[in-house]
Amino acid sequence: MSTAATGLIDPFKIGGRVFTSRLIIGTGKYRSHDEMKAAHRASGAEMVTVAVRRVPLDRSSESFLDHLDPALQILPNTAGCYTAEEAVRTARLAREALRTDLIKLEVIGDQTTLFPDNEQTLAAARTLCQEGFIVLPYFTDDLIMAKKLLDAGCPAVMPLAAPIGSGLGVQNPANLRIMREQLPDATIIVDAGVGTASDAAIAMELGADAVLMNTAIAEARDTVKMATAMKLAIEAGRLAYLAGRMPKRLYASASSPLAGVVR
Amino acid sequence: MRIQVNGESQEFATEVSLAELLAELSVPGDRVAIELNQKVVRRTEWTNVTLQENDKIEIVHFVGGGAVRERSARGL
């Protein structure tokens, strides 16, 4: 589905690749592969993230990748890793299997919140950047951490909006605004916590370069409709950010001229 | 010869290479990666690398997920 926004929105670049879509989506929690494929198509996303897991030895397993549109850029992730060492090993395995240097780095610190372990994330990012990976790190929405990850060589940073799978939306817009203002040249991808279209639009209006989401689409009652809504919200939010919003005022400001009113 | 594959103990009567191990386990070799004692083994080496007693092998592939709660069911 093409929209009027096509052409007005600047392309999104990462790791030497250029994308039209600023929406990156996940591949988990869908009710069926067919439903996932339809949602992927509707979203217009050009990059999808997949997890690395042990091959089950007790049954034959088809390749999950066969259920993805071959045109999609695959972004392997280290979801489920709790230490830098596990994440580095997982990234190396993903690179060997997929022949891509892209890796979404995720090192989790706690099972209840799934908040990132920033210390372990930074350690893993340093190792992986040195090994030539294009590291996209998921981390807490913290400016100083963002700077350290960029200094380590990450081409983009992925602050959370809210806990993974929570659907709470951007919980700390001030942090994202500060990050945008202080790091005007950095690529910032909001990752995790988006629940519905307005959340995605808000993230983009705050200056995020892209949004990565999974559950908001996969757990919607109608995944294709929500994927479409997300596509439009990302475009609307990007356009609004580029357009530059009006200042907020406490009091009214008349839109019509005051002169010539019939008395 | 006893080795560990994806955390499970496996017994082999004869020497096996990584390529033979995949065939033995009926794991298709495309789009999987193999770690031997925590080091990735390049695909081109699978036929050359012969397994030793107590080797630890990890064979991984890709699944749907990312930003996904581990071991969770839908709706949790």
Side-chain angles (χ1 to χ4, degrees), chain A residues 35 37-40 42-43 217 220-229:
Chain A
E35 185 187 42
K37 268 190 280 191
H40 283 179
S43 74
I217 296 175
R221 195 172 62 241
D222 185 323
T223 53
V224 167
K225 280 197 174 72
M226 186 56 85
T228 308

Side-chain angles (χ1 to χ4, degrees), chain A residues 7 45 60 76 86 112 148 166 185 229 256:
Chain A
S60 70
E86 284 171 13
T112 308
K148 289 183 183 184
S166 69
D185 300 324
S256 317

Side-chain angles (χ1 to χ4, degrees), chain A residues 78-161:
Chain A
T78 65
C81 292
Y82 279 78
T83 65
E85 190 198 337
E86 284 171 13
V88 167
R89 284 173 57 197
T90 302
R92 288 173 182 154
L93 283 163
R95 171 153 77 177
E96 172 63 19
L98 281 180
R99 305 256 163 254
T100 176
D101 292 330
L102 278 169
I103 188 78
K104 170 173 160 13
L105 176 61
E106 209 176 307
V107 188
I108 299 301
D110 167 68
Q111 277 196 336
T112 308
T113 60
L114 296 182
F115 280 143
D117 184 325
N118 290 330
E119 188 184 34
Q120 294 289 310
T121 301
L122 183 58
R126 286 185 173 135
T127 302
L128 292 171
C129 286
Q130 277 169 10
E131 293 181 16
F133 282 90
I134 299 164
V135 182
L136 310 181
Y138 162 69
F139 72 117
T140 316
D141 54 347
D142 175 79
L143 171 66
I144 310 308
M145 185 64 192
K147 284 185 178 175
K148 289 183 183 184
L149 288 164
L150 293 167
D151 285 347
C154 298
V157 289
M158 302 212 294
L160 55 78

Side-chain angles (χ1 to χ4, degrees), chain A residues 11-54:
Chain A
F12 171 59
K13 294 175 190 162
I14 198 144
R17 294 160 176 84
V18 183
F19 301 98
T20 308
S21 171
R22 288 172 177 270
L23 176 57
I24 306 168
I25 58 180
T27 54
K29 300 187 180 178
Y30 283 94
R31 296 167 187 97
S32 70
H33 293 317
D34 285 343
E35 185 187 42
M36 176 185 73
K37 268 190 280 191
H40 283 179
R41 254 195 315 277
S43 74
E46 295 159 304
M47 181 152 48
V48 296
T49 185
V50 296
V52 179
R53 290 293 179 271
R54 282 172 166 171

Side-chain angles (χ1 to χ4, degrees), chain B residues 6-53:
Chain B
N6 288 359
E8 289 173 24
S9 189
Q10 304 256 348
E11 187 74 38
F12 290 91
T14 55
E15 277 203 338
V16 282
S17 68
L18 282 176
E20 287 162 345
L21 175 69
L22 283 186
E24 183 74 25
L25 297 170
S26 309
V27 174
D30 61 324
R31 295 186 287 191
V32 301
I34 303 180
E35 204 183 50
L36 168 59
N37 300 327
Q38 305 206 354
K39 293 243 183 331
V40 171
V41 182
R42 305 297 301 265
R43 184 176 296 272
T44 49
E45 295 296 312
W46 287 356
T47 47
N48 304 336
V49 174
T50 308
L51 299 177
Q52 312 291 321
E53 178 80 20

Side-chain angles (χ1 to χ4, degrees), chain A residues 186-254:
Chain A
T187 300
I188 299 173
I189 304 169
V190 167
D191 178 10
V194 165
T196 188
S198 54
D199 298 334
I202 287 168
M204 294 303 289
E205 286 172 19
L206 289 166
D209 293 284
V211 176
L212 191 155
M213 66 178 74
N214 181 60
T215 311
I217 296 175
E219 283 192 359
R221 195 172 62 241
D222 185 323
T223 53
V224 167
K225 280 197 174 72
M226 186 56 85
T228 308
M230 290 301 185
K231 171 190 159 72
L232 296 172
I234 295 284
E235 290 179 356
R238 181 64 182 173
L239 276 175
Y241 174 73
L242 293 175
R245 62 154 300 149
M246 61 162 280
K248 287 185 182 178
R249 301 184 188 94
L250 192 54
Y251 295 101
S253 166

